[in-house]
């Protein structure tokens, strides 16, 4: 496994794949999970989502920890397979029983039964999983659940299905606000999960490369497929529904953090149609819509400004802003120039979701 990954990172893809296929054929479940992931996304080997998901499920059924993690993601996120939340919760219960703190935390957060939720969060906190420690707060630790299936069975998903009310802030360019899109527990979870993984935010430049630049001084964590989980996939779905975009057209969930003085200088979210960007635009499509969720308060400054519209937004925690970077005709719209203005004190946290015109993830075929 370590060998195959080393070969892969050294660019020896073919050798890595040969090794992984042999290990998987030998019934070694960590290799079955990894090969399933590679087939799902088309890494080294041709993309074959149904086959990839099949391997992932096989490894999950055998109790492989990585297989369980991936199976919960693909089932809750409808990645290469129809959405199946019930089965995703089942994988979480299996993983939690094996001591996976992140799985236990998710079951605790989703659980509608307070004593069971408290027990599940306690089990997760004992593993050192920070979001669970934060969610426990002042409540002490109690004994872990004896029956994880009972915790999964008590899941209450109503927060993800609550009605969404959109307020039109501007007709053209189209800007909407959505008060209370995410409840505070989801905001807290996103911040706690991102915190240890924050890195310097990059800017997509005109030559198509991503660079560290003075215009974007904040830090960010981008959650790719492997970094995701059931709570994040349910959040993705709710965010996509609010944005009226297919969830598979969304780029990964970005969690942005601004310390005092940090900012994201005025920019447009669309990709300039330069020759350097032609390939990317052909494969992924244009970035046409943005949804931002404001996760916290307790900071000053930091509003999202649209200087050409003389508009400023700073929704309350859990509230969202949605705007189109292209006109109804699909033309890039420079009036959407916007900025994350500097925070003057405290810390600002937001989720940023960019939607493309094309699907970026495999769906069930
Ligand atoms: O932080 C903000 O208010 C703006 C963020 C932003 O423009 C983006 O993520 O594209
Ligand atoms: Fe932006």
């Amino acid at each position: 496994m370590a060998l195959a990954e080393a070969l892969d990172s050294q660019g020896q893809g073919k050798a890595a794949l040969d090794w992984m296929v042999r290990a998987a054929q030998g019934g070694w479940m960590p290799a079955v999970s990894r090969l399933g992931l590679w087939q799902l996304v088309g890494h080294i080997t041709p993309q074959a989502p149904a086959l990839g998901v099949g391997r992932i499920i096989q490894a999950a059924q055998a109790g492989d920890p990585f297989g369980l993690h991936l199976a919960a993601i693909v089932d809750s996120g409808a990645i290469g397979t129809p959405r199946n939340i019930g089965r995703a919760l089942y994988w979480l219960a299996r993983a939690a029983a094996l001591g996976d703190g992140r799985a236990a935390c998710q079951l605790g957060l989703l659980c509608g039964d307070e004593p069971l939720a408290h027990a599940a969060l306690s089990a997760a906190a004992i593993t050192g999983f920070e979001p669970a420690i934060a969610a426990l707060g002042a409540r002490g630790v109690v004994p872990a659940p004896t029956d994880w299936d009972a915790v999964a069975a008590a899941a209450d998903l109503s927060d993800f299905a609550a009605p969404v009310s959109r307020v039109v802030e501007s007709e053209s360019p189209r800007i909407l606000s959505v008060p209370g899109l995410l409840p505070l527990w989801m905001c807290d979870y996103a911040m706690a999960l991102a915190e240890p993984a924050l890195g310097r935010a990059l800017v997509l430049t005109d030559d198509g490369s991503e660079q560290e630049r003075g215009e974007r001084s904040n830090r960010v964590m981008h959650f790719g497929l492997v970094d995701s989980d059931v709570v994040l996939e349910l959040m993705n779905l709710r965010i996509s529904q609010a944005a009226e975009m297919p969830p598979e057209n969304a780029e990964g969930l970005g969690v942005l953090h601004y310390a005092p003085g940090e900012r994201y200088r005025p920019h447009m979210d669309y990709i300039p149609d330069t020759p350097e960007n032609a390939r990317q635009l052909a494969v992924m499509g244009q970035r046409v819509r943005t949804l931002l969720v404001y996760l916290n308060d307790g900071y000053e400054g930091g509003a999202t400004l649209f200087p050409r519209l003389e508009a400023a937004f700073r929704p309350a925690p859990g509230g969202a802003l949605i705007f189109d970077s292209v006109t109804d005709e699909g033309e890039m719209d420079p009036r959407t120039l916007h900025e994350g203005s500097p925070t003057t004190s405290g810390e600002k946290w937001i989720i940023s979701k960019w939607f493309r015109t094309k699907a970026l993830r495999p769906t069930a075929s």
Side-chain angles (χ1 to χ4, degrees), residues 264 267-269 290 292 323 338 352 354:
Y264 192 168
H267 64 280
M268 274 79 76
D269 285 351
T290 299
L292 306 175
F323 58 91
H338 60 279
S352 172
W354 288 318

mmCIF file of all heavy atoms in Angstrom, residues 264 267-269 290 292 323 338 352 354, ligand 2:
data_model
loop_
_atom_site.group_PDB
_atom_site.id
_atom_site.type_symbol
_atom_site.label_atom_id
_atom_site.label_comp_id
_atom_site.label_asym_id
_atom_site.label_seq_id
_atom_site.Cartn_x
_atom_site.Cartn_y
_atom_site.Cartn_z
ATOM 1 N N TYR A 264 -10.005 39.461 0.869
ATOM 2 C CA TYR A 264 -9.966 38.896 -0.481
ATOM 3 C C TYR A 264 -10.307 40.073 -1.376
ATOM 4 O O TYR A 264 -11.443 40.496 -1.461
ATOM 5 C CB TYR A 264 -11.002 37.768 -0.580
ATOM 6 C CG TYR A 264 -10.927 36.880 -1.802
ATOM 7 C CD1 TYR A 264 -11.657 35.705 -1.859
ATOM 8 C CD2 TYR A 264 -10.122 37.189 -2.891
ATOM 9 C CE1 TYR A 264 -11.623 34.869 -2.963
ATOM 10 C CE2 TYR A 264 -10.069 36.363 -3.995
ATOM 11 C CZ TYR A 264 -10.835 35.206 -4.024
ATOM 12 O OH TYR A 264 -10.802 34.383 -5.119
ATOM 13 N N HIS A 267 -12.501 41.035 -6.991
ATOM 14 C CA HIS A 267 -12.273 40.054 -8.057
ATOM 15 C C HIS A 267 -13.627 39.626 -8.614
ATOM 16 O O HIS A 267 -14.662 39.890 -7.998
ATOM 17 C CB HIS A 267 -11.533 38.822 -7.498
ATOM 18 C CG HIS A 267 -12.335 38.071 -6.479
ATOM 19 N ND1 HIS A 267 -12.434 38.486 -5.163
ATOM 20 C CD2 HIS A 267 -13.128 36.976 -6.572
ATOM 21 C CE1 HIS A 267 -13.229 37.672 -4.505
ATOM 22 N NE2 HIS A 267 -13.678 36.742 -5.326
ATOM 23 N N MET A 268 -13.604 38.947 -9.748
ATOM 24 C CA MET A 268 -14.792 38.279 -10.256
ATOM 25 C C MET A 268 -14.575 36.775 -10.055
ATOM 26 O O MET A 268 -13.450 36.304 -10.120
ATOM 27 C CB MET A 268 -14.993 38.586 -11.744
ATOM 28 C CG MET A 268 -15.755 39.866 -12.015
ATOM 29 S SD MET A 268 -14.767 41.360 -11.864
ATOM 30 C CE MET A 268 -13.832 41.319 -13.394
ATOM 31 N N ASP A 269 -15.660 36.031 -9.867
ATOM 32 C CA ASP A 269 -15.502 34.590 -9.664
ATOM 33 C C ASP A 269 -15.425 33.819 -10.978
ATOM 34 O O ASP A 269 -14.945 32.681 -11.000
ATOM 35 C CB ASP A 269 -16.653 34.037 -8.803
ATOM 36 C CG ASP A 269 -16.490 34.409 -7.340
ATOM 37 O OD1 ASP A 269 -15.420 34.938 -6.978
ATOM 38 O OD2 ASP A 269 -17.433 34.167 -6.552
ATOM 39 N N THR A 290 -22.158 31.593 -7.410
ATOM 40 C CA THR A 290 -21.423 31.459 -6.146
ATOM 41 C C THR A 290 -22.423 31.474 -5.008
ATOM 42 O O THR A 290 -23.383 32.251 -5.032
ATOM 43 C CB THR A 290 -20.444 32.643 -5.970
ATOM 44 O OG1 THR A 290 -19.503 32.633 -7.049
ATOM 45 C CG2 THR A 290 -19.702 32.550 -4.641
ATOM 46 N N LEU A 292 -22.191 31.797 -0.808
ATOM 47 C CA LEU A 292 -21.365 31.975 0.391
ATOM 48 C C LEU A 292 -22.254 31.776 1.616
ATOM 49 O O LEU A 292 -23.371 32.288 1.660
ATOM 50 C CB LEU A 292 -20.768 33.389 0.434
ATOM 51 C CG LEU A 292 -19.971 33.862 -0.786
ATOM 52 C CD1 LEU A 292 -19.566 35.334 -0.621
ATOM 53 C CD2 LEU A 292 -18.732 32.994 -0.980
ATOM 54 N N PHE A 323 -24.955 34.647 -5.786
ATOM 55 C CA PHE A 323 -24.939 35.593 -6.918
ATOM 56 C C PHE A 323 -24.431 34.924 -8.186
ATOM 57 O O PHE A 323 -23.674 33.957 -8.146
ATOM 58 C CB PHE A 323 -24.132 36.859 -6.602
ATOM 59 C CG PHE A 323 -22.706 36.626 -6.217
ATOM 60 C CD1 PHE A 323 -21.704 36.624 -7.192
ATOM 61 C CD2 PHE A 323 -22.343 36.409 -4.902
ATOM 62 C CE1 PHE A 323 -20.367 36.416 -6.845
ATOM 63 C CE2 PHE A 323 -21.015 36.191 -4.552
ATOM 64 C CZ PHE A 323 -20.030 36.199 -5.526
ATOM 65 N N HIS A 338 -16.434 41.803 -6.710
ATOM 66 C CA HIS A 338 -16.774 41.805 -5.278
ATOM 67 C C HIS A 338 -15.528 41.555 -4.461
ATOM 68 O O HIS A 338 -14.504 41.107 -4.977
ATOM 69 C CB HIS A 338 -17.838 40.765 -4.967
ATOM 70 C CG HIS A 338 -17.413 39.374 -5.307
ATOM 71 N ND1 HIS A 338 -17.483 38.875 -6.588
ATOM 72 C CD2 HIS A 338 -16.901 38.377 -4.552
ATOM 73 C CE1 HIS A 338 -17.022 37.634 -6.599
ATOM 74 N NE2 HIS A 338 -16.662 37.304 -5.373
ATOM 75 N N SER A 352 -17.518 28.862 0.953
ATOM 76 C CA SER A 352 -17.622 29.363 -0.410
ATOM 77 C C SER A 352 -17.860 28.176 -1.337
ATOM 78 O O SER A 352 -17.128 27.187 -1.289
ATOM 79 C CB SER A 352 -16.326 30.093 -0.753
ATOM 80 O OG SER A 352 -16.291 30.429 -2.106
ATOM 81 N N TRP A 354 -18.585 27.308 -5.400
ATOM 82 C CA TRP A 354 -18.625 27.795 -6.785
ATOM 83 C C TRP A 354 -19.267 26.716 -7.648
ATOM 84 O O TRP A 354 -18.858 25.548 -7.597
ATOM 85 C CB TRP A 354 -17.201 28.071 -7.272
ATOM 86 C CG TRP A 354 -16.550 29.276 -6.664
ATOM 87 C CD1 TRP A 354 -17.136 30.493 -6.427
ATOM 88 C CD2 TRP A 354 -15.185 29.403 -6.243
ATOM 89 N NE1 TRP A 354 -16.210 31.356 -5.882
ATOM 90 C CE2 TRP A 354 -15.018 30.726 -5.759
ATOM 91 C CE3 TRP A 354 -14.095 28.537 -6.235
ATOM 92 C CZ2 TRP A 354 -13.791 31.195 -5.275
ATOM 93 C CZ3 TRP A 354 -12.877 28.994 -5.745
ATOM 94 C CH2 TRP A 354 -12.737 30.320 -5.271
HETATM 95 FE FE1 LIG B 2 -15.454 35.675 -4.954
#
